[in-house]
Amino acid sequence: GENVEQHPSTLSVQEGDSAVIKCTYSDSASNYFPWYKQELGKRPQLIIDIRSNVGEKKDQRIAVTLNKTAKHFSLHITETQPEDSAVYFCAAALGYKLIFGSGTRLLVRP
Amino acid sequence: NAGVTQTPKFRILKIGQSMTLQCTQDMNHNYMYWYRQDPGMGLKLIYYSVGAGITDKGEVPNGYNVSRSTTEDFPLRLELAAPSQTSVYFCASSYTGGDNQPQHFGDGTRLSIL
């Protein structure tokens, strides 16, 4: 079955710096890759997604890149702010299901 | 438009007790999912449904049951609660299957088995 690996597990950056989170997936049939942000005690919320026919997608300070050949995709957050502090999950869709990575805890230091 | 609504928000059960976690959505989504999230971990799929009357197992179905009698509702049943089922349970829904539309999550049910 599909397996999604996510790195790093924790990431600490200075406010204003960039943050990059990387994921790899195992099943080449996966063709949809969402990213979710989860604040402490809250629900996961979709922040950006990318489909396999696109190599990069941006939305203000966040961007996602996809390399289908290498089977990896990454989340980039620029000009980080304290409110970006949260746990971020990547996921890969296989059939009807999403397979989630184990999460990255991002801390943005003021 | 409430989205995905889960009840209760918190519950404490004794070992061996049973309960049903409720999930309802008002977005006319066909696909619904149940996940569990253990502390500091990712989301594991318990069961999912692609429409009324159709359910299937996910990664961790043991100890749980589901039903889908209507498009809106997708309850999760714990028959004999065990300490290993202490977790936060999230229900989610999407218009179509995982490779096409994002999943929308409810606020979760925090369940403790003592």
Side-chain angles (χ1 to χ4, degrees):
Chain A
E2 175 69 284
N3 183 50
V4 177
E5 294 191 0
Q6 183 172 348
H7 301 280
S9 57
T10 59
L11 180 59
S12 180
V13 300
Q14 196 71 37
E15 181 177 0
D17 287 350
S18 296
V20 180
I21 302 170
K22 299 181 179 181
C23 290
T24 60
Y25 61 99
S26 59
D27 197 319
S28 57
S30 293
N31 58 5
Y32 173 65
F33 307 91
W35 286 87
Y36 286 84
K37 175 183 180 182
Q38 187 178 30
E39 297 176 349
L40 189 62
K42 300 290 183 67
R43 71 175 82 179
Q45 292 199 299
L46 180 75
I47 55 172
I48 195 167
D49 57 11
I50 191 167
R51 290 174 171 79
S52 59
N53 58 346
V54 176
E56 184 176 1
K57 182 177 179 180
K58 290 183 179 179
D59 183 1
Q60 299 183 340
R61 295 187 298 108
I62 60 173
V64 58
T65 59
L66 172 64
N67 184 326
K68 285 218 72 176
T69 302
K71 291 191 280 189
H72 66 71
F73 55 113
S74 301
L75 178 72
H76 304 252
I77 306 174
T78 59
E79 301 173 18
T80 53
Q81 301 168 3
E83 52 264 38
D84 294 329
S85 295
V87 179
Y88 292 80
F89 292 97
C90 63
L94 189 63
Y96 303 130
K97 299 177 285 188
L98 285 181
I99 307 300
F100 285 84
S102 55
T104 296
R105 186 173 300 276
L106 174 64
L107 174 64
V108 180
R109 307 186 304 273
Chain B
N1 193 340
V4 179
T5 302
Q6 291 184 239
T7 57
K9 294 189 184 305
F10 305 95
R11 185 73 183 268
I12 298 174
L13 282 182
K14 293 182 179 179
I15 294 171
Q17 285 186 320
S18 301
M19 78 163 294
T20 299
L21 282 65
Q22 301 291 345
C23 175
T24 187
Q25 52 89 10
D26 62 0
M27 298 175 282
N28 200 30
H29 284 172
N30 295 316
Y31 292 71
M32 296 188 74
Y33 308 83
W34 274 105
Y35 296 91
R36 60 176 287 172
Q37 185 176 34
D38 297 333
M41 304 295 284
L43 295 147
K44 297 292 186 183
L45 182 65
I46 304 171
Y47 271 96
Y48 67 101
S49 169
V50 302
I54 306 170
T55 63
D56 207 349
K57 297 177 180 179
E59 300 171 80
V60 290
N62 292 341
Y64 307 94
N65 278 300
V66 293
S67 59
R68 185 93 182 272
S69 57
T70 67
T71 300
E72 295 78 17
D73 300 308
F74 190 40
L76 178 71
R77 178 83 177 163
L78 282 71
E79 290 294 349
L80 291 171
S84 61
Q85 294 177 304
T86 293
S87 192
V88 180
Y89 291 83
F90 287 101
C91 179
S93 71
S94 63
Y95 185 63
T96 61
D99 63 352
N100 203 6
Q101 293 291 329
Q103 292 184 15
H104 302 268
F105 285 82
D107 286 333
T109 294
R110 191 174 300 273
L111 181 62
S112 294
I113 315 295
L114 303 177

